[in-house]
Protein backbone atom coordinates (compact mmCIF):
# COMPACT_ATOMS: atom_id res chain seq x y z
CA UNK A 1 0.00 0.00 0.00
CA UNK A 2 1.54 3.23 -1.04
CA UNK A 3 0.95 6.35 0.90
CA UNK A 4 1.20 9.69 -0.70
CA UNK A 5 3.44 12.04 1.14
CA UNK A 6 2.77 15.70 1.60
CA UNK A 7 3.06 17.61 -1.66
CA UNK A 8 5.85 20.07 -1.57
CA UNK A 9 5.76 23.36 -3.46
CA UNK A 10 8.84 25.16 -4.56
CA UNK A 11 9.59 28.23 -2.46
CA UNK A 12 8.13 31.51 -3.84
CA UNK A 13 10.74 33.55 -5.67
CA UNK A 14 10.90 37.32 -5.49
CA UNK A 15 10.27 38.98 -8.86
CA UNK A 16 13.41 40.10 -10.61
CA UNK A 17 14.26 43.85 -10.77
CA UNK A 18 13.67 43.83 -14.54
CA UNK A 19 10.12 42.57 -14.08
CA UNK A 20 9.43 45.16 -11.40
CA UNK A 21 10.71 47.93 -13.74
CA UNK A 22 8.54 46.65 -16.59
CA UNK A 23 5.47 46.61 -14.33
CA UNK A 24 6.05 50.28 -13.43
CA UNK A 25 6.25 51.32 -17.13
CA UNK A 26 2.57 51.73 -17.76
CA UNK A 27 1.20 54.26 -20.25
CA UNK A 28 -0.18 56.39 -17.43
CA UNK A 29 3.20 56.57 -15.71
CA UNK A 30 4.91 57.52 -18.97
CA UNK A 31 2.39 60.29 -19.60
CA UNK A 32 2.90 61.62 -16.08
CA UNK A 33 6.64 61.65 -16.67
CA UNK A 34 6.43 63.41 -20.04
CA UNK A 35 3.80 66.00 -19.10
CA UNK A 36 6.21 68.40 -17.34
CA UNK A 37 8.62 68.25 -20.31
CA UNK A 38 5.83 69.03 -22.79
CA UNK A 39 4.65 71.98 -20.66
CA UNK A 40 8.19 73.36 -20.45
CA UNK A 41 8.70 73.02 -24.24
CA UNK A 42 5.39 74.75 -25.00
CA UNK A 43 6.19 77.56 -22.56
CA UNK A 44 9.60 78.12 -24.20
CA UNK A 45 8.11 78.11 -27.71
CA UNK A 46 5.42 80.60 -26.69
CA UNK A 47 7.94 82.89 -25.04
CA UNK A 48 10.20 82.83 -28.12
CA UNK A 49 7.27 83.61 -30.44
CA UNK A 50 6.20 86.48 -28.19
CA UNK A 51 9.72 87.91 -28.13
CA UNK A 52 10.12 87.83 -31.93
CA UNK A 53 8.58 90.67 -33.85
CA UNK A 54 7.97 90.77 -37.60
CA UNK A 55 10.94 93.10 -37.95
CA UNK A 56 13.17 90.38 -36.51
CA UNK A 57 12.02 87.80 -39.04
CA UNK A 58 12.35 89.92 -42.18
CA UNK A 59 15.93 90.61 -43.25
CA UNK A 60 16.97 94.10 -44.29
CA UNK A 61 18.36 94.22 -47.82
CA UNK A 62 20.40 96.77 -49.73
CA UNK A 63 18.58 97.62 -52.98
CA UNK A 64 21.63 99.30 -54.58
CA UNK A 65 22.61 96.46 -56.96
CA UNK A 66 19.01 95.92 -58.07
CA UNK A 67 18.59 99.65 -58.72
CA UNK A 68 21.84 99.75 -60.71
CA UNK A 69 20.77 96.82 -62.87
CA UNK A 70 17.32 98.30 -63.53
CA UNK A 71 18.81 101.73 -64.34
CA UNK A 72 21.35 100.18 -66.74
CA UNK A 73 18.74 98.21 -68.73
CA UNK A 74 15.58 100.33 -68.53
CA UNK A 75 14.58 102.55 -71.41
CA UNK A 76 13.27 105.17 -68.96
CA UNK A 77 14.77 107.14 -66.06
CA UNK A 78 14.47 104.83 -63.04
CA UNK A 79 13.04 106.34 -59.87
CA UNK A 80 12.83 104.95 -56.33
CA UNK A 81 11.98 106.06 -52.79
CA UNK A 82 15.04 107.81 -51.37
CA UNK A 83 15.80 109.20 -47.91
CA UNK A 84 12.86 107.65 -46.09
CA UNK A 85 12.62 108.49 -42.38
CA UNK A 86 13.91 106.14 -39.71
CA UNK A 87 11.74 103.08 -39.25
CA UNK A 88 11.33 102.23 -42.94
CA UNK A 89 13.28 99.07 -43.78
CA UNK A 90 13.82 97.66 -47.27
CA UNK A 91 12.92 93.96 -47.10
CA UNK A 92 13.22 93.08 -50.79
CA UNK A 93 14.26 94.56 -54.12
CA UNK A 94 13.79 92.78 -57.43
CA UNK A 95 13.78 93.52 -61.13
CA UNK A 96 13.34 91.61 -64.35
CA UNK A 97 16.09 93.69 -65.99
CA UNK A 98 18.56 90.80 -65.81
CA UNK A 99 16.76 89.08 -68.68
CA UNK A 100 15.90 92.25 -70.61
CA UNK A 101 17.24 92.93 -74.08
CA UNK A 102 17.62 96.44 -75.47
CA UNK A 103 14.15 97.98 -75.77
CA UNK A 104 12.45 95.39 -73.54
CA UNK A 105 10.24 96.66 -70.72
CA UNK A 106 11.76 96.69 -67.24
CA UNK A 107 9.94 96.44 -63.90
CA UNK A 108 11.48 97.35 -60.54
CA UNK A 109 9.89 96.41 -57.21
CA UNK A 110 11.03 97.49 -53.74
CA UNK A 111 9.26 96.40 -50.55
CA UNK A 112 9.42 98.25 -47.24
CA UNK A 113 8.50 97.36 -43.68
CA UNK A 114 7.03 100.53 -42.19
CA UNK A 115 7.29 101.88 -38.62
CA UNK A 116 3.88 100.37 -37.83
CA UNK A 117 5.16 96.92 -38.92
CA UNK A 118 3.09 96.88 -42.11
CA UNK A 119 4.07 96.55 -45.77
CA UNK A 120 4.56 99.34 -48.35
CA UNK A 121 5.51 98.24 -51.84
CA UNK A 122 6.88 100.45 -54.61
CA UNK A 123 6.72 99.49 -58.31
CA UNK A 124 7.93 101.31 -61.42
CA UNK A 125 7.48 99.76 -64.86
CA UNK A 126 7.13 100.66 -68.52
CA UNK A 127 5.03 97.52 -69.04
CA UNK A 128 1.37 98.15 -68.22
CA UNK A 129 0.79 94.38 -68.44
CA UNK A 130 3.47 93.51 -65.88
CA UNK A 131 1.98 91.39 -63.10
CA UNK A 132 3.25 93.82 -60.44
CA UNK A 133 1.20 96.58 -62.10
CA UNK A 134 -1.82 94.72 -63.45
CA UNK A 135 -2.45 92.73 -60.26
CA UNK A 136 -2.72 95.97 -58.28
CA UNK A 137 -4.56 98.26 -60.69
CA UNK A 138 -6.95 95.68 -62.17
CA UNK A 139 -10.31 96.41 -60.56
CA UNK A 140 -8.96 99.24 -58.36
CA UNK A 141 -11.46 102.01 -57.56
CA UNK A 142 -10.14 105.57 -58.04
CA UNK A 143 -10.81 108.05 -55.25
CA UNK A 144 -9.30 111.31 -56.43
CA UNK A 145 -5.79 112.72 -56.47
CA UNK A 146 -3.25 113.88 -53.91
CA UNK A 147 -0.06 115.90 -54.34
CA UNK A 148 3.00 114.19 -52.88
CA UNK A 149 6.62 115.18 -53.44
CA UNK A 150 5.58 117.77 -56.01
CA UNK A 151 3.72 115.19 -58.13
CA UNK A 152 0.03 114.38 -58.53
CA UNK A 153 -0.79 110.80 -57.53
CA UNK A 154 -4.12 109.04 -58.06
CA UNK A 155 -5.47 107.50 -54.87
CA UNK A 156 -7.48 104.31 -55.16
CA UNK A 157 -8.52 101.14 -53.39
CA UNK A 158 -7.43 97.76 -54.72
CA UNK A 159 -9.67 94.70 -54.90
CA UNK A 160 -7.92 93.52 -51.71
CA UNK A 161 -9.08 96.68 -49.93
CA UNK A 162 -5.62 98.27 -49.73
CA UNK A 163 -4.82 101.85 -50.67
CA UNK A 164 -2.87 102.35 -53.90
CA UNK A 165 -1.17 105.55 -55.01
CA UNK A 166 -0.36 105.58 -58.72
CA UNK A 167 0.83 107.91 -61.42
CA UNK A 168 1.92 107.65 -65.04
CA UNK A 169 4.80 109.60 -66.54
CA UNK A 170 6.14 109.12 -70.09
CA UNK A 171 4.49 105.67 -70.48
CA UNK A 172 5.92 104.59 -67.13
CA UNK A 173 3.63 103.53 -64.27
CA UNK A 174 4.55 104.13 -60.63
CA UNK A 175 2.69 102.46 -57.74
CA UNK A 176 2.86 102.58 -53.97
CA UNK A 177 0.55 100.14 -52.22
CA UNK A 178 0.30 97.71 -49.33
CA UNK A 179 -1.15 97.11 -45.90
CA UNK A 180 0.58 100.20 -44.43
CA UNK A 181 -1.42 103.22 -43.30
CA UNK A 182 -2.31 105.90 -45.82
CA UNK A 183 0.17 108.26 -44.14
CA UNK A 184 2.99 105.70 -44.47
CA UNK A 185 2.17 105.02 -48.13
CA UNK A 186 2.14 108.77 -48.77
CA UNK A 187 5.55 109.08 -47.11
CA UNK A 188 6.96 106.46 -49.49
CA UNK A 189 5.37 108.11 -52.54
CA UNK A 190 6.64 111.56 -51.53
CA UNK A 191 10.18 110.15 -51.28
CA UNK A 192 10.28 108.93 -54.90
CA UNK A 193 13.24 110.55 -56.69
CA UNK A 194 15.23 109.86 -59.87
CA UNK A 195 17.89 107.23 -59.23
CA UNK A 196 21.35 108.78 -59.58
CA UNK A 197 23.41 105.61 -59.06
Amino acid sequence: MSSAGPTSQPPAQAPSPAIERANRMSAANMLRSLAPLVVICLALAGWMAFQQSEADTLPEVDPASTLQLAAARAGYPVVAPTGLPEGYTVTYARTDAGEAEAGDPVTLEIGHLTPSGEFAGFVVSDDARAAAVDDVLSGAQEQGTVELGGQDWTRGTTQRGETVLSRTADDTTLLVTGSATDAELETVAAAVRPYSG
Side-chain angles (χ1 to χ4, degrees):
M1 182 170 197
S2 65
S3 65
T7 55
S8 62
Q9 294 183 352
Q13 292 181 341
S16 73
I19 293 175
E20 285 182 5
R21 241 187 345 263
N23 288 338
R24 285 194 307 261
M25 286 191 198
S26 69
N29 283 340
M30 281 195 272
L31 286 176
R32 279 192 288 270
S33 299
L34 289 176
L37 292 174
V38 171
V39 170
I40 291 170
C41 290
L42 289 175
L44 283 172
W47 182 77
M48 293 290 286
F50 180 76
Q51 293 296 316
Q52 266 189 334
S53 68
E54 188 173 358
D56 294 332
T57 60
L58 293 174
E60 182 173 358
V61 301
D62 182 0
S65 61
T66 305
L67 279 163
Q68 288 171 354
L69 178 60
R73 303 274 175 92
Y76 59 90
V78 170
V79 295
T82 305
L84 285 166
E86 188 175 336
Y88 288 82
T89 305
V90 176
T91 57
Y92 73 82
R94 59 181 171 243
T95 182
D96 58 4
E99 302 165 5
E101 301 286 333
D104 285 351
V106 170
T107 301
L108 169 69
E109 301 174 66
I110 301 175
H112 300 84
L113 186 67
T114 67
S116 68
E118 296 296 331
F119 171 74
F122 167 77
V123 178
V124 59
S125 179
D126 59 348
D127 181 4
R129 295 174 305 170
V133 174
D134 189 55
D135 290 351
V136 174
L137 293 183
S138 179
Q141 300 292 317
E142 289 188 14
Q143 298 172 335
T145 60
V146 60
E147 185 180 331
L148 301 166
Q151 302 290 334
D152 287 332
W153 292 76
T154 301
R155 181 188 302 276
T157 303
T158 67
Q159 287 187 326
R160 293 194 307 183
E162 297 177 338
T163 296
V164 58
L165 301 169
S166 63
R167 70 182 176 91
T168 303
D170 300 326
D171 297 325
T172 303
T173 303
L174 291 84
L175 303 175
V176 176
T177 189
S179 60
T181 66
D182 285 0
E184 289 172 331
L185 295 174
E186 289 175 5
T187 298
V188 173
V192 172
R193 305 275 185 278
Y195 173 69
S196 59

